[in-house]
């Protein structure tokens, strides 16, 4: 609270918090990262620690791809088809 008063006295205002994305928007963003990686490298054998920059934002693509593989049996058919279209190896 004291720091907020000091900042206000100096005329410093905090930057607004970034808008939160819906799960669908986040999934679409991750899918764009996967497509970008696939176009550049030729496959989706993404190292777990790999990050991909999309629209100026870093995406933890390797972790996301790994999670999709783990959850493959629970994913909606459309999600499986989208990743399969990018030649995703599921095991």
């Amino acid at each position: 609270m004291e720091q907020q008063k000091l900042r206000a006295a100096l005329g410093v205002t905090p930057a607004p918090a970034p808008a939160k994305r819906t799960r669908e928007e986040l999934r679409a963003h991750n899918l764009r990262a996967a497509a970008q990686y696939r176009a550049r490298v030729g496959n989706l054998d993404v190292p777990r620690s790999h990050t991909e920059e999309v629209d100026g934002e870093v995406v933890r693509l390797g972790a996301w791809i790994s999670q999709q593989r783990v959850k493959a049996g629970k994913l909606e058919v459309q999600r499986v088809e989208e990743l399969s279209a990018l030649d995703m190896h599921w095991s």
Side-chain angles (χ1 to χ4, degrees):
M1 185 62 102
E2 187 65 30
Q3 288 179 348
Q4 291 174 345
K5 289 179 184 178
L6 290 173
R7 279 188 230 136
L10 293 171
V12 176
T13 56
K20 291 201 174 197
R21 291 185 179 150
T22 65
R23 285 183 187 218
E24 189 59 30
E25 290 169 335
L26 185 57
R27 186 197 62 75
H29 192 68
N30 288 334
L31 192 60
R32 279 195 305 276
Q36 178 178 294
Y37 182 90
R38 168 68 170 83
R40 187 178 70 254
V41 176
N43 61 57
L44 281 183
D45 297 331
V46 185
R48 180 118 168 77
S49 62
H50 179 75
T51 59
E52 188 79 10
E53 188 171 324
V54 178
D55 301 331
E57 184 178 335
V58 174
V59 175
R60 295 179 56 223
L61 182 62
W64 184 74
I65 290 290
S66 178
Q67 289 171 352
Q68 301 313 294
R69 286 186 178 121
V70 169
K71 299 188 298 186
K74 297 178 183 178
L75 292 177
E76 297 172 12
V77 173
Q78 178 184 355
R79 290 184 182 191
V80 171
E81 289 173 351
E82 289 170 340
L83 287 166
S84 293
L86 296 174
D87 296 328
M88 170 82 141
H89 298 280
W90 291 99
S91 55

